[in-house]
Amino acid sequence: MWEDFKKFALKGNVLDLAVAVVIGAAFGKIVTSLVEDIIMPAVGILLGGFSVEDWTYTFNGAELRYGAFAQSVIDFFIIAFSIFLVIRLFTRMKRKKDVPAEEEPEVLDKKEELLVEIRDLLSKEKTGQ
């Protein structure tokens, strides 16, 4: 059982996934800080000190903080959009790297052109055109 676990745990895909999780967690912290510490205070300044997070409703002594929920939803959309932009950037960079350089068209000499014409004529005769 130990050998099977070692084979599984040391596969390239598992290690790649572990690295992705760690990097994703770090990136999530960066984006969360961007949203909470820069974007939302700037939005609050632009709206004259308006904060969604402070919205509450009190009912029979219970405080419903629906503003905090609304703030979490807004944070989610900003974070999701940020991750989308990063993935899109990486995808474009990968596409540019994967695209092979255009090859120059093959230049045929007279003999090769003649052979190509003969081949084309023979194939037309076979098909009955």
Side-chain angles (χ1 to χ4, degrees):
M1 186 170 153
W2 177 249
E3 290 299 319
D4 289 340
F5 176 72
K6 280 184 5 183
K7 286 179 187 175
F8 169 77
L10 297 178
K11 280 185 179 178
N13 294 342
V14 174
L15 293 175
D16 291 344
L17 180 61
V19 170
V21 167
V22 171
I23 290 174
F27 181 73
K29 288 180 182 179
I30 291 169
V31 174
T32 300
S33 176
L34 172 71
V35 170
E36 291 176 356
D37 302 328
I38 296 175
I39 293 176
M40 291 315 292
V43 169
I45 290 169
L46 291 174
L47 296 176
F50 178 75
S51 175
V52 173
E53 196 167 5
D54 297 334
W55 292 350
T56 59
Y57 179 75
T58 306
F59 182 75
N60 288 338
E63 184 179 53
L64 301 174
R65 299 179 59 217
Y66 66 94
F69 175 74
Q71 183 67 46
S72 295
V73 171
I74 293 168
D75 291 352
F76 168 78
F77 283 112
I78 293 172
I79 290 169
F81 184 70
S82 299
I83 291 172
F84 166 75
L85 290 177
V86 168
I87 290 173
R88 187 173 178 199
L89 174 70
F90 281 126
T91 304
R92 284 189 178 185
M93 287 173 33
K94 185 177 179 189
R95 255 191 257 145
K96 287 181 182 177
K97 188 174 89 176
D98 290 345
V99 173
E102 289 186 29
E103 295 179 16
E104 293 187 24
E106 193 176 315
V107 178
L108 301 176
D109 65 0
K110 296 254 184 209
K111 289 179 185 178
E112 290 173 334
E113 287 180 16
L114 183 60
L115 288 172
V116 169
E117 288 178 20
I118 292 171
R119 181 197 63 202
D120 294 342
L121 287 172
L122 287 173
S123 67
K124 283 183 184 178
E125 283 182 12
K126 272 187 174 179
T127 58
Q129 293 181 348

